[in-house]
Amino acid sequence: ESVVYWMRMGDLRISDNRALSLASAHAKKNKLPLVSLFVLNPQDYKAHDRSARRIDFTLRNLASIKDSLAKLHIPLYTITHPKRREIPGQIITFLEQLNASAVYANIEYEVDELRRDIQICKAAKSKGFGAHFVHDKCVVEPGVVLTKENRTYAVYSPYQRAWIKKLNANIPHFLEDCQEPHPNPQSVYENKNIKDLFNSQVPQSIPGFELDPDDRKRMDLAWPAGEIAANEMLRRFLHTKSRTSQMVPSNPLADGAEDSPKHSRLTAYDADRDNADKDTTSRLSPYLAAGIISARACIRATMPSTKNAHVESGRWVQEIAWRDFYVCILAGYPRVSMGRPYQEKSADIVWEGPALDNAYTDGEQQINPKAELPLTTSESNIEKWKSGQTGYPIVDAGMRCVKETGYLHNRVRMICAMFLVKHLMIDWRVGEKYFMENLIDGDLASNNGGWQWVASTGVDACPYFRIFNPYNQSSKADPTGEFIRHFVPELARARGPELHNPPASVADKLKYPHPIVKHEESRDRAIRRFKNPGTA
Ligand code: FAD
């Protein structure tokens, strides 16, 4: 007999991991060996637009986890299986081969993943093993913070107030630091069924998701794998000052940051967080998305170490609450994870070029955009947006940053996303997909939430008539101009306001493109179309 911990893409850590901790306690109590399992499924990654960067990050972290688990004599067995629909069968066979009496996993809230887990639960019932799926991703799990009518909140501010109240009312429950897994006895190496599992290898790459060697090197430097790196990233955010010239993610383990608790990035966060020209934020998103650090640990780290301490609702804590909020939306309104807008009426908005509604696929079929023929201009505009050639410096800097680093500062994500949706009138799902395919922190709940917010189609979304002026946004988000200068080197010699809005003569001289659309004209078009869905 044995107990199995099934690790998912969003819980790549050993510390403070609910399912792993529970599985280990179960195994110890019943004197059974603990085995961990990870399933790699390229078809699933394709269907969910996973970026090669996120897959590479997953594999790098798995390799590190495998080593740590081996020290506890716990094997990490990996299955790579091409057919998505056959995964539940593969897992059940594995559990049978190990004569598992129980399997533990942290819940994934996306529709396909829930459907898959239901199959495991059904098999557990008929075959007589225990299937335990537990909440771990959020600080306060979906279904706990509800409106008076017992519904999922669709507006953030009251949600956040209720969230912090709930959290502070039962800190030991929500912020409990889970017990570390116990080591398996040495004798697991003599167990015939388990011995071979130690030989299972974590692949170096997955076909179709390989990174080119230079990109891999860059990702490895900027986002080192493992819990130590994630914890160091958090420590630096809490205790060190922003380094002005560090707008590009850099190795958190390298020297160079001095402790300055009074003027740390956390204490300056409220004032500085919208500045993309220095490292004002934590850059923990890749680690949180992959679960290399728990959201609980982030909140705990902001609390004073005194007895009966409470969680203060500071700006940064509120960002973690946004993360929980979007997971609740995904769980409460599953249509948003199937390519549909939260606000159903916005499904009729007339987009330029390819519409991606009903693009949801279960991974067996390819995405099939509506038969509507894409306009050449909009296709070319999409390409210019992706490659950072729109003639709007802040948009171009942001989009080149996505391409080069796999990461983008939140304010610039908003500016780039709104430009695509409102200025170019391109379906938000085109941008959502592109971000997922390129970001290292790509996460369905937060990415979908962010895109539906800027597109005014989501919960508590930006009002349709509030359209960012990219020039004003540019000088606010990049007051020194360092961000634009770094990613758009053609503009390095432009000075003052010309950097944010280069006149035609300057653009020509510096070989920088003219704006592909006019701000006022496109804003008026967007307001017209959003006000009257269904009309062009
Ligand atoms: P910090 O400012 O240090 O915030 C701490 C953590 O809080 C983040 O790591 C993140 O986990 C969470 N957080 C912060 N802001 C948000 C937010 N607006 N919504 C949800 N969670 C938030 N975030 C992702 O993790 N994955 C995505 O795929 C993603 N796509 C986005 C797409 C768009 C169009 C927009 C506007 C936002 C998106 N975000 C996404 C949210 C946000 O931009 C990033 O979480 C943030 O920029 C990460 O940087 P950081 O870790 O330094 O954040």
Side-chain angles (χ1 to χ4, degrees):
E1 252 185 272
S2 64
V3 175
V4 171
Y5 159 56
W6 175 11
M7 180 175 264
R8 321 291 190 89
M9 255 188 114
D11 48 74
L12 300 178
R13 68 180 180 283
I14 292 180
S15 292
D16 198 18
N17 177 329
R18 282 214 180 116
L20 174 57
S21 184
L22 289 168
S24 171
H26 181 131
K28 187 166 189 293
K29 188 169 165 217
N30 296 284
K31 297 196 171 55
L32 296 174
L34 175 65
V35 166
S36 51
L37 167 71
F38 193 91
V39 182
L40 294 145
N41 181 230
Q43 197 175 48
D44 200 60
Y45 304 153
K46 186 122 197 90
H48 288 171
D49 305 318
R50 294 287 187 196
S51 70
R53 286 166 172 159
R54 175 87 199 262
I55 300 302
D56 174 68
F57 194 50
T58 302
L59 298 178
R60 284 195 281 126
N61 278 286
L62 271 182
S64 151
I65 287 170
K66 187 173 172 66
D67 288 348
S68 308
L69 285 174
K71 290 187 185 125
L72 301 171
H73 313 139
I74 302 170
L76 172 70
Y77 187 69
T78 55
I79 301 177
T80 307
H81 191 75
K83 290 242 178 234
R84 194 183 194 200
R85 286 193 181 153
E86 291 169 9
I87 294 294
Q90 291 277 317
I91 290 165
I92 293 159
T93 308
F94 178 77
L95 297 174
E96 283 176 338
Q97 278 167 355
L98 284 178
N99 194 15
S101 58
V103 57
Y104 285 81
N106 291 318
I107 299 176
E108 292 182 309
Y109 300 97
E110 294 85 349
V111 169
D112 292 334
E113 282 67 10
L114 291 173
R115 283 184 183 145
R116 175 201 60 201
D117 293 350
I118 287 169
Q119 290 192 51
I120 304 293
C121 289
K122 281 185 182 154
K125 222 168 176 190
S126 64
K127 294 179 188 286
F129 62 85
H132 307 273
F133 292 92
V134 296
H135 295 286
D136 180 77
K137 179 168 180 170
C138 297
V139 179
V140 180
E141 62 260 25
V144 169
V145 178
L146 296 172
T147 63
K148 280 197 195 104
E149 296 76 34
N150 254 352
R151 295 176 68 95
T152 302
Y153 274 97
V155 183
Y156 172 74
S157 299
Y159 166 82
Q160 189 269 326
R161 286 193 295 273
W163 178 89
I164 199 113
K165 211 163 148 191
K166 237 347 160 211
L167 179 57
N168 277 322
N170 197 349
I171 288 195
H173 167 74
F174 292 115
L175 294 184
E176 162 213 28
D177 190 355
C178 308
Q179 259 206 347
E180 298 281 313
H182 307 282
N184 270 335
Q186 284 271 6
S187 57
V188 288
Y189 294 106
E190 273 106 58
N191 183 320
K192 199 170 74 55
N193 285 344
I194 293 176
K195 211 167 83 184
D196 286 348
L197 302 186
F198 282 99
N199 298 329
S200 158
Q201 296 294 319
V202 174
Q204 288 271 321
S205 63
I206 299 284
F209 294 88
E210 297 94 344
L211 275 188
D212 79 68
D214 284 347
D215 204 13
R216 191 162 208 258
K217 227 194 242 159
R218 266 204 310 267
M219 292 299 116
D220 198 19
L221 254 182
W223 313 105
E227 294 176 59
I228 292 176
N231 281 299
E232 178 57 9
M233 204 94 155
L234 174 61
R235 195 196 69 77
R236 290 196 176 205
F237 173 68
L238 299 176
H239 300 294
T240 68
K241 263 181 159 176
S242 143
R243 287 161 294 166
T244 27
S245 59
Q246 292 279 334
M247 89 286 289
V248 181
S250 63
N251 185 350
L253 305 182
D255 292 335
E258 276 173 37
D259 275 18
S260 173
K262 274 206 183 128
H263 306 285
S264 71
R265 279 183 282 158
L266 175 68
T267 53
Y269 187 80
D270 197 5
D272 288 358
R273 69 185 194 285
D274 278 341
N275 288 13
D277 53 358
K278 28 183 188 163
D279 61 340
T280 51
T281 65
S282 70
R283 290 178 186 159
L284 275 168
S285 52
Y287 295 90
L288 278 164
I292 297 152
I293 192 166
S294 71
R296 288 186 293 279
C298 292
I299 299 289
R300 279 197 301 265
T302 64
M303 294 171 70
S305 49
T306 50
K307 229 180 147 199
N308 300 325
H310 271 56
V311 180
E312 294 289 335
S313 169
R315 275 281 173 188
W316 195 68
V317 167
Q318 288 173 22
E319 302 299 355
I320 306 283
W322 267 109
R323 179 177 180 272
D324 274 16
F325 178 61
Y326 283 140
V327 176
C328 292
I329 297 302
L330 194 77
Y333 304 100
R335 65 174 175 273
V336 302
S337 74
M338 300 166 86
R340 282 166 55 195
Y342 168 78
Q343 295 182 28
E344 301 272 27
K345 68 174 187 306
S346 54
D348 293 333
I349 289 168
V350 177
W351 305 109
E352 292 292 301
L356 278 186
D357 43 351
N358 300 326
Y360 173 71
T361 149
D362 68 357
E364 298 285 323
Q365 313 130 18
Q366 288 296 306
I367 281 181
N368 181 16
K370 258 191 176 173
E372 204 177 310
L373 271 185
L375 297 175
T376 322
T377 352
S378 53
E379 271 188 334
S380 126
N381 282 349
I382 293 172
E383 285 319 305
K384 285 177 181 157
W385 176 79
K386 287 181 180 173
S387 57
Q389 296 290 340
T390 65
Y392 282 83
I394 190 69
V395 176
D396 293 343
M399 294 309 296
R400 293 185 201 185
C401 178
V402 169
K403 212 173 200 165
E404 280 172 39
T405 73
Y407 171 84
L408 185 59
H409 179 278
N410 181 58
R411 171 63 40 177
V412 190
R413 282 189 210 210
M414 289 161 76
I415 299 170
C416 292
M418 191 170 288
F419 184 83
L420 181 79
V421 177
K422 303 274 171 74
H423 286 82
L424 302 182
M425 274 314 291
I426 300 294
D427 191 331
W428 55 273
R429 283 159 285 212
V430 174
E432 181 195 19
K433 182 170 158 60
Y434 182 75
F435 268 25
M436 277 305 277
E437 286 169 346
N438 286 277
L439 291 173
I440 191 166
D441 67 8
D443 170 78
L444 176 61
S446 296
N447 192 43
N448 183 276
W451 276 95
Q452 294 223 40
W453 186 88
V454 296
S456 312
T457 62
V459 281
D460 200 10
C462 174
Y464 71 87
F465 47 83
R466 195 181 142 212
I467 295 178
F468 286 175
N469 176 325
Y471 302 123
N472 297 345
Q473 289 290 326
S474 181
S475 37
K476 279 190 208 153
D478 187 16
T480 61
E482 287 302 308
F483 182 74
I484 295 176
R485 280 194 196 94
H486 183 90
F487 287 103
V488 188
E490 313 83 290
L491 292 178
R493 284 189 292 122
R495 289 283 164 261
E498 290 188 350
L499 180 73
H500 301 286
N501 182 5
S505 58
V506 173
D508 288 342
K509 208 160 99 200
L510 299 176
K511 299 199 170 25
Y512 179 69
H514 290 196
I516 54 172
V517 287
K518 288 207 171 85
H519 167 61
E520 283 81 11
E521 269 175 25
S522 31
R523 188 196 56 203
D524 293 348
R525 176 180 65 177
I527 292 178
R528 213 174 46 242
R529 291 209 188 164
F530 274 81
K531 194 171 174 190
N532 308 299
T535 53

